[in-house]
Amino acid sequence: MALELLRGGARKVVFALAPALLLALVDALAVPVEQMPWSGGRVGRHLVVAAVIAAGMWILLSAVDARTARDRRAPGSPASWRSCLGMAGISAVLWLLMWAAVGPLDAMNDTYWSIRNPLGVAPQQPLVYSMIISGVVHGLRLVTGSMLPGIIALVLLQVILYGLGLSWTLRVLSRTGVPRAVLLVLAVVLGLLPITANFTFALVKDAAFTGFTLLLVPVLLTIQQTGGRCLRSRGFLCAMVVSALGFALTRNNALVILVLVGVLIVVLARRARRTACVWVAGIVVVALLPQQILTFAAGPQKSVESLGVPLQMVGSTLVHEPQCIAPEDARTLERIMPAQTWRDVFRPQSVDPVKYDPAFSEDALQGSRGEFLAVFARTLGRCPGPMLAGYRDQTSQLWRWDAIGVGGTSQSFFLEPISNAPGDRDEILADLAGHGVTKRPLLGETVGARMEAVYRGGLEATPGAGTWVWALALVMAAAWYGRRGEVLVVAFPALLLWATLMAAAPIAEPFRYVAYLPWILAISAVVLLWGRGRAVSRPGAPRAAARSRRTTPG
């Protein structure tokens, strides 16, 4: 490693400097106009940022070079399923320990209303997820008289989902040459890290979605390793279908991502492309059914959920340069919300104050969606300055390297039955208490309070979304440098999900929208620094390894 640090080369220099200069440029564009470098402000900060990132990238690229040199050695045998389940079991124990310290229900108001009225929240919440959690909770309530058994059952099912996803991932990573010691460290880190542990038992749709996103990692890596031969295994096909459908049905905008992931599956399955096409098409068709049922039963999804960014860009223009908007376009916007009210309630980093204001007409936006988008396009052409400033402010927490930490945002972690602060929070808590659900740590009040304070401190110190995004981007750049396509495969769904948030996030600060990033970053870094880029089997037993691939998912 020390020798690799001293070795250079034009390609290495480019890959070290390019991300550093890009990050420094983004850092410069994120500050107010009066502090831009050409105005004489904060030049030193941007140079320091570039220098630190360049040095860090040089070290990372040197580590990749050192790993490439080690790849010439004979590979060890992969870890057994029993070993991987044991390591994931350690993580599960750590997750359940945190859950036992903070109480049986850790959620938000969306969870409560999904349980109480799944069809009523369907235009905003995933229908299948809401129906499942409502059915489990109310089904067990009919038997026990309390909502608590259903909530505990859901928590345990979600922990099992994460445990199986992690164990399968460890198994697949071991087949790429990752040492057992590294796998164990990965499992322990993911078990101890408060932000990853919290989402394994938090009953919010984003936690379930993150679990299915984790399951996609071994699916994609296995297809890449086998060239698609794994699609002949019934066990693998079942696992792939469950992973893909769970991914698509626990977030409203995930169906588009599923289609693109399906394209990647077809590309990777070079030895079974026809089979891959058939299964991907079938999964997409099945995933479409709940959306059609929802449209029939409860009407189409609300446009405001997917138009958060355009609404904020228009709002920024109304605040800073209202005269730039054409009179006929201003009349269209007036039907959606009076301009003065829009200016009064506008907040740069969240569309919620606008969409929840009584003067905002969702019906007008729903009925004139195409007309609004035309107004948006014309205004962007006439007033690019305030429009792009609105986009910058709305999405900045998704791409700033110094994004606000998790402790400074809401809906980012969940340690209470209702962890956010809706107007009806007291009424919801009273109703939950009436059905046997209160904040009652399983480890006792004294021990639970002390442990929760430690966990809360770790959560509040967790970096924000943009920091994780940049860390993953640097790992991707190093993977490109090292020609490690399997790392790009691991991160592919996460990068697509981030892109959808950049296009349509109603609010960028809550970490729950990107809770998959710590998982994907950790796995990507392990694959980059310790994986061999190809599957290995037990020495002297190629036939046994082939039989194992036909009969097991990983």
Side-chain angles (χ1 to χ4, degrees):
M1 177 65 182
L3 291 177
E4 296 297 340
L5 286 171
L6 300 176
R7 291 175 181 168
R11 189 167 183 269
K12 187 174 181 180
V13 171
V14 169
F15 272 86
L17 289 180
L21 294 175
L22 177 61
L23 194 148
L25 175 62
V26 171
D27 185 52
L29 295 177
V31 302
V33 173
E34 62 273 10
Q35 296 180 3
M36 287 291 185
W38 49 83
S39 301
R42 308 211 308 178
V43 177
R45 165 188 162 129
H46 307 313
L47 293 177
V48 169
V49 168
V52 170
I53 296 302
M57 278 299 296
W58 189 268
I59 295 173
L60 181 59
L61 298 178
S62 299
V64 172
D65 287 337
R67 179 57 191 172
T68 302
R70 292 199 303 271
D71 277 353
R72 301 187 183 97
R73 302 175 184 177
S77 61
S80 65
W81 266 110
R82 180 178 298 180
S83 298
C84 294
L85 286 169
M87 288 184 278
I90 295 173
S91 300
V93 170
L94 295 172
W95 300 334
L96 290 173
L97 184 63
M98 182 177 180
W99 173 62
V102 300
L105 176 62
D106 305 279
M108 58 182 292
N109 62 325
D110 287 354
T111 308
Y112 172 83
W113 290 115
S114 292
I115 293 172
R116 279 301 196 188
N117 186 14
L119 284 179
V121 300
Q124 290 179 286
Q125 305 298 324
L127 176 63
V128 173
Y129 175 78
S130 298
M131 294 295 291
I132 289 175
I133 65 171
S134 180
V136 170
V137 171
H138 288 302
L140 290 178
R141 183 177 66 86
L142 293 176
V143 177
T144 64
S146 170
M147 293 171 67
L148 187 59
I151 287 169
I152 292 176
L154 288 169
V155 168
L156 295 179
L157 286 173
Q158 191 163 288
V159 170
I160 290 172
L161 169 66
Y162 276 88
L164 291 176
L166 179 58
S167 61
W168 189 12
T169 300
L170 295 176
R171 167 70 173 169
V172 174
L173 293 184
S174 75
R175 293 176 59 189
T176 64
V178 178
R180 286 180 176 82
V182 175
L183 297 178
L184 179 59
V185 170
L186 175 63
V188 172
V189 168
L190 292 176
L192 287 174
L193 198 63
I195 196 65
T196 53
N198 184 224
F199 276 84
T200 62
F201 59 80
L203 287 187
V204 293
K205 66 180 188 297
D206 306 280
F209 176 75
T210 298
F212 286 110
T213 303
L214 173 63
L215 268 177
L216 280 181
V217 171
V219 168
L220 295 175
L221 281 177
T222 302
I223 294 173
Q224 185 201 34
Q225 290 172 0
T226 64
R229 290 194 305 269
C230 56
L231 295 175
R232 302 168 188 166
S233 163
R234 292 181 181 178
F236 178 84
L237 286 173
C238 289
M240 182 181 75
V241 170
V242 170
S243 304
L245 287 180
F247 177 83
L249 299 178
T250 49
R251 179 171 285 186
N252 285 334
N253 66 346
L255 186 57
V256 176
I257 307 302
L258 177 63
V259 172
L260 297 175
V261 169
V263 173
L264 177 63
I265 289 174
V266 172
V267 171
L268 295 176
R270 60 189 182 279
R271 296 176 181 172
R273 288 227 166 92
R274 183 176 299 177
T275 302
C277 286
V278 171
W279 279 101
V280 167
I283 291 170
V284 170
V285 170
V286 173
L288 279 170
L289 292 178
Q291 183 63 43
Q292 302 308 311
I293 295 172
L294 169 62
T295 302
F296 177 77
Q301 286 187 330
K302 295 180 178 180
S303 293
V304 68
E305 294 300 315
S306 59
L307 295 177
V309 172
L311 284 168
Q312 287 295 92
M313 294 171 70
V314 170
S316 174
T317 306
L318 284 171
V319 169
H320 298 292
E321 293 186 31
Q323 71 282 358
C324 191
I325 300 176
E328 62 274 15
D329 292 341
R331 287 191 289 271
T332 300
L333 297 175
E334 193 78 19
R335 292 197 298 269
I336 297 173
M337 188 176 195
Q340 187 56 51
T341 306
W342 202 327
R343 284 191 285 269
D344 292 341
V345 303
F346 176 79
R347 297 294 180 272
Q349 294 182 335
S350 175
V351 75
D352 286 354
V354 171
K355 73 178 185 180
Y356 289 132
D357 191 273
F360 181 78
S361 175
E362 286 190 16
D363 293 336
L365 180 62
Q366 193 83 24
S368 60
R369 178 188 177 100
E371 191 175 356
F372 170 76
L373 290 175
V375 170
F376 167 79
R378 288 193 294 268
T379 306
L380 180 60
R382 292 193 191 99
C383 326
M387 291 285 281
L388 293 177
Y391 179 81
R392 179 198 64 186
D393 295 339
Q394 172 69 3
T395 62
S396 62
Q397 295 307 307
L398 293 171
W399 49 263
R400 289 191 60 158
W401 69 270
D402 58 345
I404 297 173
V406 167
T409 62
S410 64
Q411 301 180 30
S412 293
F413 59 87
F414 305 90
L415 301 178
E416 305 284 342
I418 304 298
S419 298
N420 56 333
D424 55 354
R425 186 174 189 269
D426 292 339
E427 291 82 354
I428 294 175
L429 290 174
D431 184 56
L432 289 172
H435 289 86
V437 181
T438 59
K439 184 174 174 60
R440 188 178 305 159
L442 302 181
L443 296 179
E445 296 291 341
T446 303
V447 175
R450 291 178 179 176
M451 291 182 65
E452 180 180 334
V454 175
Y455 288 127
R456 188 179 293 274
L459 289 166
E460 291 179 348
T462 302
T467 309
W468 293 96
V469 168
W470 272 107
L472 183 59
L474 296 179
V475 170
M476 293 302 99
W480 187 8
Y481 167 79
R483 298 179 174 89
R484 302 295 299 276
E486 69 276 13
V487 182
L488 303 178
V489 168
V490 170
F492 184 71
L495 296 176
L496 290 179
L497 289 165
W498 174 79
T500 64
L501 291 174
M502 289 291 289
I507 179 173
E509 290 184 355
F511 194 79
R512 64 188 178 95
Y513 294 139
V514 293
Y516 49 83
L517 284 175
W519 299 85
I520 300 301
L521 175 62
I523 295 168
S524 299
V526 167
V527 173
L528 175 67
L529 297 177
W530 285 279
R532 290 181 172 270
R534 58 188 182 277
V536 299
S537 58
R538 298 182 187 279
R543 294 181 181 178
R547 285 198 300 272
S548 174
R549 284 194 296 271
R550 288 196 297 267
T551 57
T552 62

